[in-house]
Amino acid sequence: MRITVLSGGVGGARFTRGLLALLRERLPDGAGGTTAQVTVVANTGDDLWLHGVRVCPDLDTLMYTLGGAVHEQQGWGRRDESRRVSDDLAAYGLGWEWFTLGDLDLATHLARTELLLSGVPLSAVTARLAERWQPGVTLLPMSDDEVETHVETVDGRMMHFEEWWVLHRAGVPARRFVQVGLDGSTAGPGVLDALAGADVVVVPPSNPVVSVGTILAVPGVRDALRATAAPVVGVSPVIGGAPVRGMADACLAAIDVATAAHAVARHYGRRADGGVLDAWLVDDADADAVAPLRAEGWTVEAAPTLMTDVPATAAIAARALALVDRLP
Amino acid sequence: MRITVLSGGVGGARFTRGLLALLRERLPDGAGGTTAQVTVVANTGDDLWLHGVRVCPDLDTLMYTLGGAVHEQQGWGRRDESRRVSDDLAAYGLGWEWFTLGDLDLATHLARTELLLSGVPLSAVTARLAERWQPGVTLLPMSDDEVETHVETVDGRMMHFEEWWVLHRAGVPARRFVQVGLDGSTAGPGVLDALAGADVVVVPPSNPVVSVGTILAVPGVRDALRATAAPVVGVSPVIGGAPVRGMADACLAAIDVATAAHAVARHYGRRADGGVLDAWLVDDADADAVAPLRAEGWTVEAAPTLMTDVPATAAIAARALALVDRLP
């Protein structure tokens, strides 16, 4: 069983952790793992060069979460993190003090930067770093090319996505996202094959605009998703009209999509109608979206989708995979 | 009074700290400083890119020592240093774990790297970093160009100077030093002017081969030193046939110079004979070098030259400056 997941950071990482727990139970390999092969295609559109090092927020969140090193409450970054470096760095007054650069996280950035500067592509760097963390999945950046997301706010300012997201907490309404390098990027090694060769593709409850939307905009990815023989199942990142975490509502607003489970489904679209999904799992709180979506031809179910812990998340993954059997 | 110092790391930094203490006493500015203007031209031949960041060992040692932040016993690096990042980085197994990359020190490297990568030349970066440390001197890198020192060992291996110096503790005899970029380098902004416009130039007890020797080999520096109207006074880095600290003997051996106060003087040479010095201060332990050097025309004195603390070092600086009055 080959499962491919298109993931952003925290939401996608937690979902994938639950999925792995489910697969270890259902398809155990006898050594504590699973015989299923899970490939995670990660968004790299939030990546940035900061103080000379390459920061890849979503890749790191996936690596730490699946490798058992994540700061659980925070959802990203390392457990037992400290800020010796960044506290001292602030004294130089170079800016970006609001961007957390933990000491342990910085070790990852330094290792990545050293490898990148020596000419190793990001995909191979990621594989090298993952050797330490053993995430139990094949972790693929969506592209080896650098993509940088900027935000144009309604008051006409341009800023790096991280500045808008972290410093301004997405509080300044965005007019649009400008993703430098995205149109000219190439899908990373293995990405298109992971879609073509999958038995199931899952779109976890990641940000549909700046995480999954960015992956889908890498030339070739949307076509590969539409062409794959595998069913494509999505889990709504919106519960009861609000993003579960993060500020996906601010991103959805910028592209004129309502923060509602049915609206996100329609934004992705059914493959039968030219979209990218075959099925959609919504939260029980959004059960009223089921009937209208079904009327439009969707395979859709409602279930508890709050990823409160790993067992609960495994159950969500089970409900998502079960949708495959209900496809027409 | 304008004094220019050609400095390596620990020895030059400690000497300069003593010199400043002396000047604050003799030429006070009424605000705890001195009316004398001290310019330090620092060796950058030991600099390196490590894990993607630019490390400038001698500039940092000078900045921390003169800025009151140095790890006193160690002689380099920051006080209250920790290794959160480097301990974690070691788990990625990329090598160079033996090179200490302290957390606080790393903050400096990151700040420097960010500025360098944004196009700021090292001299301006150094001035920017020094705003924080207020070293009380004008701190100039010998060059804005990158110079990288490699060591060819007698068994034919080539390695970065820091690998030979730090990992091997200079224990593998060196055949020669290969300084990539040195011949084509240009003296940094202000360097030649600091020599031409000085009232006194001091060569402190720094490594005569890989510290002062490297500065002298920057095109134009040796000529400027020979042409300046200022007297040039050196302090022996060798006491009683051994380097006071560091492993300068291993460097001297590589260029066939004996580890002896008189041999280092002759290696530098008298300006009257085509060398770079006018006067030479040796330790009392090397008093027997005084007569032979005087016979060769040197202005030379013996004095206690162990830089045990700041007052003792100020006294050494006083003895060095006093040599100026004895020049013929």
Side-chain angles (χ1 to χ4, degrees):
Chain A
M1 174 117 171
R2 292 157 301 176
I3 303 178
T4 298
V5 181
L6 305 186
S7 177
V10 182
R14 285 185 171 165
F15 178 87
T16 305
R17 184 170 58 175
L19 174 66
L20 284 175
L22 174 75
L23 294 170
R24 279 193 294 266
E25 190 181 309
R26 288 203 183 161
L27 300 169
D29 66 359
T34 169
T35 58
Q37 292 171 22
V38 179
T39 300
V40 178
V41 177
N43 169 47
T44 57
D46 309 348
D47 294 5
L48 69 161
W49 286 101
L50 183 61
H51 309 308
V53 298
R54 188 66 177 168
V55 182
C56 300
D58 290 354
L59 281 171
D60 288 347
T61 297
L62 282 157
M63 207 163 62
Y64 299 154
T65 302
L66 302 178
V70 77
H71 187 297
E72 194 62 39
Q73 287 69 42
Q74 192 171 254
W76 50 270
R78 294 276 301 278
R79 198 165 43 223
D80 304 320
E81 186 55 288
S82 53
R83 301 193 191 186
R84 291 279 290 166
V85 177
S86 59
D87 284 351
D88 195 77
L89 184 58
Y92 285 112
L94 296 182
W96 283 66
E97 290 85 2
W98 44 264
F99 189 88
T100 302
L101 208 61
D103 296 329
L104 303 181
D105 209 18
L106 192 52
T108 300
H109 307 327
L110 288 168
R112 173 186 295 122
T113 302
E114 172 169 1
L115 292 166
L116 285 174
L117 293 185
S118 71
V120 181
L122 181 61
S123 50
V125 171
T126 301
R128 178 77 175 72
L129 300 182
E131 285 175 19
R132 173 179 176 190
W133 298 107
Q134 297 290 321
V137 303
T138 300
L139 184 55
L140 302 179
M142 66 183 198
S143 176
D144 278 340
D145 302 320
E146 289 185 12
V147 174
E148 200 164 273
T149 302
H150 296 265
V151 180
E152 184 183 332
T153 59
V154 291
D155 54 0
R157 281 182 290 165
M158 288 289 288
M159 59 185 78
H160 191 282
F161 174 76
E162 295 292 349
E163 190 177 349
W164 181 71
W165 190 254
V166 179
L167 177 60
H168 297 288
R169 308 292 302 159
V172 189
R175 178 180 292 154
R176 64 189 181 113
F177 300 100
V178 179
Q179 300 191 283
V180 181
L182 185 55
D183 290 347
S185 69
T186 303
V191 168
L192 300 183
D193 288 346
L195 295 172
D199 295 308
V200 185
V201 176
V202 181
V203 175
S206 286
N207 189 312
V209 187
V210 293
S211 296
V212 180
T214 304
I215 300 173
L216 293 177
V218 173
V221 168
R222 184 179 289 270
D223 287 345
L225 202 54
R226 290 186 38 70
T228 182
V232 184
V233 179
V235 179
S236 175
V238 172
I239 297 185
V244 181
R245 60 167 289 138
M247 299 150 289
D249 48 337
C251 299
L252 288 164
I255 60 166
D256 291 321
V257 174
T259 303
H262 60 85
V264 175
R266 288 176 187 136
H267 170 65
Y268 280 133
R270 289 175 65 224
R271 289 212 290 175
D273 302 328
V276 295
L277 294 181
D278 297 308
W280 188 236
L281 186 70
V282 302
D283 191 78
D284 281 336
D286 300 301
D288 60 353
V290 171
L293 287 174
R294 279 188 184 154
E296 293 168 24
W298 285 86
T299 296
V300 59
E301 293 284 344
T305 65
L306 259 182
M307 300 186 287
T308 47
D309 56 20
V310 175
T313 309
I316 300 166
R319 291 296 292 265
L321 293 182
L323 286 175
V324 171
D325 299 325
R326 308 209 183 164
L327 288 174
Chain B
M1 176 119 173
R2 292 158 300 176
I3 303 178
T4 298
V5 181
L6 305 186
S7 179
V10 183
R14 285 185 170 166
F15 179 86
T16 305
R17 184 170 58 175
L19 173 65
L20 284 176
L22 174 74
L23 295 170
R24 280 193 293 267
E25 192 181 307
R26 287 201 184 164
L27 301 169
D29 66 359
T34 169
T35 58
Q37 293 171 22
V38 178
T39 300
V40 177
V41 177
N43 168 48
T44 57
D46 309 349
D47 294 4
L48 69 161
W49 286 100
L50 183 61
H51 309 309
V53 297
R54 189 65 177 169
V55 181
C56 301
D58 290 354
L59 281 171
D60 287 348
T61 297
L62 281 157
M63 208 163 61
Y64 298 154
T65 301
L66 302 179
V70 77
H71 187 297
E72 193 62 40
Q73 287 70 43
Q74 193 171 251
W76 51 269
R78 294 276 301 277
R79 196 166 45 220
D80 304 320
E81 187 55 288
S82 53
R83 300 191 190 186
R84 290 279 291 166
V85 177
S86 60
D87 284 353
D88 195 77
L89 184 58
Y92 285 111
L94 297 181
W96 283 68
E97 290 86 1
W98 44 264
F99 190 88
T100 303
L101 208 61
D103 297 328
L104 304 181
D105 209 18
L106 191 52
T108 300
H109 306 329
L110 288 168
R112 173 186 294 121
T113 302
E114 172 169 0
L115 292 166
L116 285 173
L117 293 184
S118 70
V120 181
L122 181 61
S123 49
V125 171
T126 302
R128 178 77 175 71
L129 300 182
E131 284 174 20
R132 173 179 177 191
W133 297 107
Q134 298 289 322
V137 303
T138 300
L139 185 55
L140 302 178
M142 66 184 199
S143 176
D144 277 340
D145 302 321
E146 289 185 12
V147 174
E148 200 164 273
T149 302
H150 296 266
V151 180
E152 183 183 332
T153 59
V154 291
D155 53 1
R157 281 182 291 165
M158 288 290 288
M159 59 184 79
H160 191 282
F161 175 76
E162 295 292 349
E163 189 176 350
W164 181 70
W165 188 254
V166 178
L167 177 61
H168 296 288
R169 307 292 302 159
V172 189
R175 179 181 291 153
R176 65 188 181 113
F177 300 100
V178 179
Q179 299 190 285
V180 180
L182 186 55
D183 290 348
S185 69
T186 303
V191 169
L192 300 183
D193 287 347
L195 295 172
D199 295 309
V200 184
V201 176
V202 180
V203 176
S206 287
N207 188 311
V209 186
V210 293
S211 297
V212 180
T214 304
I215 301 173
L216 294 176
V218 173
V221 168
R222 184 178 289 270
D223 287 345
L225 203 55
R226 290 187 36 68
T228 183
V232 184
V233 178
V235 178
S236 176
V238 172
I239 297 184
V244 180
R245 59 168 289 136
M247 299 151 290
D249 48 337
C251 299
L252 288 164
I255 60 165
D256 290 322
V257 173
T259 303
H262 60 84
V264 175
R266 288 177 187 134
H267 170 64
Y268 280 132
R270 290 174 66 224
R271 290 211 291 175
D273 301 328
V276 295
L277 294 181
D278 297 309
W280 188 237
L281 186 69
V282 302
D283 191 77
D284 281 336
D286 300 301
D288 60 353
V290 171
L293 287 173
R294 281 187 182 156
E296 293 168 23
W298 285 85
T299 296
V300 58
E301 293 285 343
T305 65
L306 259 182
M307 299 187 287
T308 46
D309 57 19
V310 175
T313 309
I316 299 165
R319 292 295 293 262
L321 293 183
L323 285 174
V324 170
D325 300 325
R326 307 207 183 165
L327 289 172

